[in-house]
Every structure is written in C-alpha cells, then in structure tokens.
Amino acid sequence: MAITRDLIINGEHVPAASGKTTEDINPYTGAPYATVAAASPEDVTRAVDAAAATSESWAATPPSARARIFLKAADILESKTDEAAALMAQEVGGVRPWAEFNLHLAADILRSAAAATTAPQGEVLATNLPGKYSLGLRQPFGVVAAISPWNAPIILGTRAIAIPLAVGNTVVMKPSEDAPLACGLFIADALLEAGIPDGVLNVVTNAREDANDVVGTLVADNRVRCVNFTGSTKVGRIIGTLAAQNLKPAVLELGGKNSLVVLKDADIEYAASAATFGAFMNAGQICMSVDRVLVDQSIAEDFTARFTEKVAKLPTGDPNDPNTFVGPQVNQSAADRQYGLIDDAVAKGATVATGGQRLQNALVPATVLTGITEDMRIFEEEIFGSATTVLPVSGPEEAVQLANNTNYGLTAGVITENLSEGIEVAQRLRTGIAHVNDQPVLDEPMAPFGGIKESGYGKFGGQAGINSFTELRWVTVQQRGHAQYPF
C-alpha cells in the first residue's frame, strides 16, 4: 500500500494549502515509494506562525520536562528498528546495518539533547564596576530553521533539530526531497508521540521544483533567527548567502574531500579494513567518506593489493537483501555523475584496480582507482559515492601536503603504529576533525562536529552545539548601591 503523508504544522497533519503533492522515489526500483504534501511559501509561513506562537512557552518549559520528551522519543525510535530499516531501504537505498546505525545514533543524539537541557546557561563575568554582577547568559534564538539531508537521514535529521529544541528554540524543519520521511516526518512522529507540544516542531515537505521558493521564504522570515543546513557545498553556499543577507547566523555542515593517511609503519591489514569501511559504508554517500587513501610508497603495493581484495568482495545490489553492503546511489543521476568521474579518470590514464563496470538500478560497484593525476576531475571533486582513489606518497610531509591540497576541510584519518608521528600528522591536517588510528567516518553526539574552508562553519554536538543554537547576552545587575554617573 502506497504511503501518503501531509505536512506537520502546529501538531496537526495537514495538506499543503494548494493541495499539491509530490512523489518520493525508490532509487533501486525507480518506482514511487510515497506521496507527500508539497508545501508552498504560504505553508512555510503557517509553520513559522506556529513555531513563533509557541516559542516563549517552550523556552519557559522546565528543563526536566523537555528532557523527558527527548528520552521518551529516543526509546520510541529504537523500538522502530524494522520500520526504519524498511523505510531507508525503500526511500534512499540504505542497507540494514546502515539503517540500524542511523537509528541507534539518532537515539543517542536525543539522549545527549536531554542532557543539554540542564547544561550551564552562562557564567559570572569579572567586572570593575562596584556592586554589580556581570553575567554572560545563553538564551534560545526563538525560531530555528533546520534543513536536513537524505544520506544519513535519521542521524542528520535528528541532529538538525535535537539541540536547537533542547536549548529552548522551536523549529521549522525542511527535509530533503529525496528523503522527506526518513529525515523529517519519521523523526517528528517519534517526538510527537513522546509529547512535544504543538507548534514546537513543524515539518514542511516540498517538491523539488519549489525548493528555492520554500527555502527562500523560510530563511527570509524575520521570526526565524538561526538556520542550520547539512548538505552539498553548492547548496550550502546559497543558504549561507541567504542567511547573511537576512543578518542571521547559520550552521553549515557541507561536503568533504577526505583523506586517509596510511604511514609506513601501519598495520596493512588494519589499514585496508579501515579504508574499506571508510570509503564504502552507505555506498560512499557520507560527507566523511574516504576520497583519497594516501599511502606511504614503501607499503603502497602491498596495501593496494589487500585493499583491492577486500573491496572486490563487497556484496552489491538490492538494499532489501540482508547480505548487501553496497546499495544503490540515491538516484540514477547520482550514479551517472560517479560513472562520469570514473570514465574521465580512466580516459586520462587512471587504472581501475577493482569495480568500474556499469550496473543497473542506480548501482555503482565499489571502485578503487590508482594512477590519479591532478588533471582528473576525481582528484579535485568530491566523489560522494562508491569509488575511491589510492595515491602513493613519499612520507608524511607529502601526505600532509596532498591531504591539504583541497578547498574542503571536513575530516581525515591517520593510520600508524607510531602514535607520536600519527598525532603530529593529524595536527597538521587542515580539517575540522581528525582521527588517529581510525578512518574519517566517525560521529558521536557529544563531540563538536563541523568543518572548515568549503566544508562549512559552525558546530553540531555537545557544548559546541549548545553554543551554536543559543545567543550569548551580557546582562548586569546592580545588586548593591547605585551606579555613579558623571552628570
């Protein structure tokens, strides 16, 4: 039976004002999976109306009451493992292990948000003024716009709203057109079931052709005081510009050209396993995925052989098959873009160590390319899919230079048995995140997550996330005597 979903505005499931709907497509079959309401700017304004109307009461809700909602929602999410696995397989081609990881990390994000409700809300500042208390207070913005992506939909949809809500903001959420259920409505259902008040969380889904008008209306509304977006650098640049034009802060978590550095004394078996996971989890459709394996030339031949052997064995195909590790890309257009990167590299002299053959159903086989040169598109462009590259380097210095030779700066990994050298290399990588003796695909709800350069700015997670979604105010109290004036 086909799924039909409406918008969520002020706690109610309502159709778009125009009655328009749009189809949600299964990437593996190409058939419609669901039909969702297609919002217009009028619907966005209705959603902001609801969020603004309840903003003060939600901010005044005791932190323990907010915390109970997040804790209950986390348990509700974790009770829906089978539903989430089926949803992600049908909507975005996600394999079951990836869906389960999404669900459990999203639940932990909600639990971390529950803890954030009781985090310190400011500090007492030093002052030269007699009889005064000088305070730095953190207070919610009011209404936050949250624009969530399709690729890790339950994780990133939850992340987009959890801390903003926990610290007292209300939210209007716009999920990706490629995953309106998994990165929007499914998460909102859990929070509504957990008892979040009407109007605190609103979800507007839209047709792809209306995205510019919907997002433009949301960001431009003067009651929306903060924006967060996770997605491509191309779209993030547009949203960041809109936010700046409307004088409001944005948290942007964008693309990456992530390197895994394998130093000469690395455990080759471990390094190959780390690279395989880091490059091909979720068919490489993760902002943290390994685009470049920079391996010391002294072990490059042995590493590449072992890495290629592991990658060649990855089961590829139907995401509903529990044995599948590499499912489809989000749509055929994404698969075609990746084949274009592979074909361009091969035409300019690259070697396909494994994979590369064209498949149907939006599938791209796990592909490893060697012999990469700077004139190839794949050297510079984010792959964001089921392919990676191996580049030999002549030691740590060249590895650092090559890893930093990109406009992106999200994450990186360094594999070595020489811990001090690994730490030194990691400290020189120009990324917002780095992992020593692990690959780049790593996330924890309490950690500051975000990039630099064209990978965005601002942070999600932990105290950094609390800071991102609250305003710092300076407040003084003349608690003894009167202030003195010169006239």
Side-chain angles (χ1 to χ4, degrees):
M1 180 181 295
I3 297 171
T4 302
R5 291 298 306 261
D6 286 330
L7 313 175
I8 297 176
I9 298 178
N10 202 29
E12 297 183 354
H13 300 265
V14 296
S18 67
K20 183 177 179 178
T21 62
T22 187
E23 290 183 334
D24 182 15
I25 303 299
N26 180 318
Y28 186 72
T29 66
Y33 168 62
T35 300
V36 300
S40 67
E42 178 183 352
D43 298 303
V44 173
T45 300
R46 290 163 59 202
V48 177
D49 288 344
T54 194
S55 177
E56 288 190 13
S57 62
W58 177 245
T61 299
S64 59
R66 277 184 262 145
R68 282 194 293 271
I69 293 170
F70 297 122
L71 292 173
K72 185 175 180 180
D75 292 341
I76 291 169
L77 275 186
E78 287 194 322
S79 73
K80 298 179 182 294
T81 300
D82 290 340
E83 182 181 342
L87 169 59
M88 282 184 55
Q90 296 290 326
E91 190 172 44
V92 293
V95 299
R96 187 176 181 98
W98 178 237
E100 291 180 352
F101 177 74
N102 264 253
L103 197 69
H104 295 305
L105 182 54
D108 283 346
I109 291 171
L110 288 172
R111 294 183 181 113
S112 183
T117 63
T118 55
Q121 297 181 335
E123 56 187 349
V124 178
L125 307 175
T127 177
N128 290 321
L129 303 173
K132 276 196 188 298
Y133 277 128
S134 182
L135 307 171
L137 299 182
R138 290 210 161 271
Q139 297 185 343
F141 283 101
V143 181
V144 170
I147 305 171
S148 55
W150 56 265
N151 59 310
I154 302 176
I155 294 171
L156 299 181
T158 302
R159 188 184 71 177
I161 64 175
I163 292 294
L165 289 170
V167 297
N169 299 291
T170 55
V171 171
V172 176
M173 184 185 204
K174 193 213 84 69
S176 166
E177 298 86 359
D178 287 308
L181 275 64
C183 72
L185 296 168
F186 178 77
I187 302 161
D189 288 344
L191 282 158
L192 288 171
E193 184 179 342
I196 199 164
D198 295 348
V200 172
L201 173 60
N202 307 273
V203 182
V204 290
T205 56
N206 64 279
R208 197 177 305 275
E209 64 269 19
D210 298 329
N212 288 346
D213 288 341
V214 166
V215 172
T217 301
L218 180 58
V219 176
D221 193 306
N222 63 11
R223 295 168 296 176
V224 173
R225 297 312 311 155
C226 180
V227 179
N228 78 75
F229 168 79
T230 299
S232 71
T233 296
K234 178 182 177 181
V235 176
R237 196 185 303 275
I238 295 170
I239 291 172
T241 299
L242 285 172
Q245 288 173 342
N246 288 277
L247 295 177
K248 58 191 67 173
V251 177
L252 304 177
E253 198 265 281
L254 310 177
K257 189 72 179 172
N258 311 301
S259 293
L260 177 63
V261 177
V262 181
L263 298 179
K264 64 181 180 181
D265 53 0
D267 180 315
I268 291 177
E269 179 68 21
Y270 176 66
S273 295
T276 302
F277 177 88
F280 298 107
M281 186 63 181
N282 194 34
Q285 299 172 111
I286 305 174
C287 58
M288 299 172 280
S289 292
V290 175
D291 271 25
R292 296 169 170 173
V293 183
L294 309 180
V295 56
D296 193 277
Q297 61 189 12
S298 65
I299 60 170
E301 184 176 349
D302 290 344
F303 168 84
T304 303
R306 189 71 187 102
F307 179 41
T308 300
E309 181 182 356
K310 285 180 176 289
V311 173
K313 294 178 180 178
L314 294 176
T316 301
D318 187 346
N320 294 290
D321 184 337
N323 295 314
T324 297
F325 184 82
V326 179
Q329 301 299 301
V330 68
N331 52 45
Q332 188 60 48
S333 176
D336 291 341
R337 183 189 64 80
Q338 288 163 50
Y339 283 122
L341 291 175
I342 294 168
D343 291 347
D344 173 77
V346 171
K348 294 173 180 174
T351 299
V352 177
T354 188
Q357 72 273 22
R358 287 188 177 263
L359 303 176
Q360 302 299 312
N361 303 101
L363 292 165
V364 177
T367 300
V368 177
L369 296 167
T370 61
I372 303 301
T373 55
E374 293 190 20
D375 62 328
M376 300 172 184
R377 288 174 53 204
I378 205 166
F379 179 87
E380 181 176 351
E381 295 182 26
E382 181 182 18
I383 299 172
F384 206 74
S386 193
T388 195
T389 60
V390 178
L391 295 87
V393 293
S394 59
E397 186 65 33
E398 186 180 1
V400 169
Q401 291 178 358
L402 190 52
N404 289 338
N405 185 13
T406 172
N407 291 329
Y408 295 102
L410 183 55
T411 185
V414 183
I415 305 292
T416 178
E417 295 299 298
N418 184 338
L419 188 58
S420 61
E421 186 170 51
I423 294 171
E424 181 181 350
V425 168
Q427 289 176 331
R428 297 178 61 198
L429 298 175
R430 294 200 294 272
T431 57
I433 306 163
H435 304 295
V436 179
N437 279 334
D438 205 348
Q439 45 70 48
V441 181
L442 194 62
D443 198 359
E444 286 197 283
M446 67 290 291
F449 192 100
I452 60 175
K453 300 191 289 185
E454 292 188 8
S455 291
Y457 47 80
K459 302 291 182 185
F460 291 95
Q463 186 61 49
I466 293 172
N467 292 349
S468 292
F469 295 109
T470 53
E471 294 181 291
L472 182 61
R473 300 185 65 212
W474 181 35
V475 176
T476 68
V477 178
Q478 188 71 35
Q479 59 94 27
R480 179 170 48 81
H482 291 162
Q484 299 300 306
Y485 308 111
F487 54 84

